[in-house]
Amino acid sequence: MDKNKVIRSHLSPYRGLESRRPWCRASSRPPTLVITVSVVAALLVGVVLFGVRLTPSGGNNTWVSAGVRDVLNAVSSKQGTTAGPLATVPDPRDRLLGGLLSPDFDESSCLSRYRAALYRRPSPHAISTYLISALRRYESLHRRCGPGTSAYARAVERLRASSPNASTSPSADDCSYLVWNPIEGLGNRILTITSGFLYALLTGRVLLLHSSGGALDDLFCEPFPGSTWILPEDDNDFPIRDMGSLNGGHHESLRSVLRRGEEPGAAGASPWLYVHLRHDYSKIHHDQQFFCDDTDAALRRVPWLVFQSDNYFVPGLFLIPRHETELSRMFPRRDLVFHHLGRYLFHPSNTVWDMVTRYHDEYFAKADERVGIQVRKFRWAPISTDELYGQILNCTQRETILPVPNVAATGGSDGQPTKQKAVLVVSLHGEYSEKLRDLYNNNNNNSGSTSTTSREAVCVHQPTHLGAQRSGVQEHNQKALAEMVLLSFSDAVVTTAVSTFGYVGQGLAGLRPWVLMNPVDGKAPDTPCRHAATMEPFFHAPPRYDCRAKTNGDAGRIVRHIRHCEDFPQGVQLVE
């Protein structure tokens, strides 16, 4: 069967999904007023003002706020605690998100860039002015060195013409590059691009994406004004060939260079190097030395780095001592890296944004509260559909994310509901949303009344249920991205442990998720879910090499803001 037909069989892209109208009627009451109060500590220099939220509806997308909130963050250093950069909580009316986004774009070329924030709850998370300055400096670098520039042409020509006997160290005026290769699903790709971008920020490199086979076609808008982040595909004689087939054993890999006792970037060395950061590097110390100070210093002399990863390796960059000060200035709160960089980098294309807004306006615009539930099953953690559904229900009702149906009620009429709650279920399979829909459908009637114990009307929706992940199909990736963005519009999120899809949704939303814990012997655990300590994604395969001791080590015990994950103990994550 044509795999494209399989996707279209689920009603191409979102038009006509859930053909029947929502069974619970949208409330005629005005949108929910959300008031946030922040208690100001002695170090804070401003007062957090009250804000009012109006949910986007019917094309009239408006945020109203009483003003901008400034806070002074303290940055800890080895010498003690010193005043850090001024950090600003974005005014919800500011389309540039407090300076995070550049104003140098044509808005019509990318509708989501300046509009996505209108659909999300206002971010209460301050942005360091130092990070904003670093982003503007990077944009200038990318504009000077990116594809289509004379500097890029010279860099490619030097790469093509270099010989083993020539010195390949770049001069002060030369440009250096980091080339990303796609592997795994869209969630992994988004997280690894973010990791690569942070490394480029720290090391003065230009990030380029090798979109082999159209892996990123019509998914994202360009994030850097005046240039592209896509490695030109029409450059058939690009000197580094077959990048998709590179592996840790390649002659020009970091692993091979270190095994030979050579120093990366030394006189006469290759002008390019492959860095293998996939999960299977965990037994190879040479690959893991990428996170060592001395290796990091040597790699600065290599003009072209090519990398592959299926890991969110951002926490590993926090293990490199030479980057400690810079990172603390960019991110006074370490657990906001993906939240800020994700919102800066990933703006859905107009095609994807149209999917998002049509589905949102049809099903979520009038809701008082939006709940996102992301469900994923893994072969290494088997669990039956009924067991997993029971775990979802146990978690969401125990934590009052969803109301408990009032089974004692008769007739299902208890007056007008106090709240309209829209539930977005994101899964490859449709059974979980169907079970939830049946549960609450039996406790709502067409008049909008409810017989849940909290008198809430619950509507359950699922945009797609494609059955299997097909990362090589453009339409599948577009739908996956649309669902990640819809998930990021939630007021509360429940995610599956270890799922990169969930990481992206929670990070863009700026929410600590309720995480469904891994099954035990095929059964739901006694504790169905836990409130995550941070919104940051996990680094599933952190280095096990202690750079200072030059032996095995524990990345979760080296610095205080990196610790092991509750639901995936071998992984680590950034915490505050």
Side-chain angles (χ1 to χ4, degrees), residues 43 73-85 324-325 327-329 331-334 560-561 576:
L43 290 175
N73 289 279
V75 179
S76 297
S77 67
K78 292 182 180 179
Q79 291 75 28
T81 302
T82 58
E324 182 178 0
T325 300
L327 286 168
S328 66
R329 296 178 73 185
F331 304 102
R333 277 195 56 171
R334 274 74 165 188
R560 63 181 180 177
H561 47 272
E576 183 58 32

Side-chain angles (χ1 to χ4, degrees), residues 505-540:
Q506 74 196 37
L508 293 178
L511 293 171
R512 290 166 52 210
W514 290 97
V515 181
L516 297 169
M517 304 303 289
N518 290 319
V520 178
D521 297 327
K523 300 293 184 181
D526 293 336
T527 301
C529 62
R530 290 180 179 173
H531 203 193
T534 170
M535 70 190 77
E536 272 289 295
F538 292 157
F539 185 4
H540 290 160

Side-chain angles (χ1 to χ4, degrees), residues 91-103:
D91 184 334
R93 294 171 298 187
D94 180 10
R95 71 186 189 122
L96 302 181
L97 304 182
L100 186 71
L101 305 181
S102 168

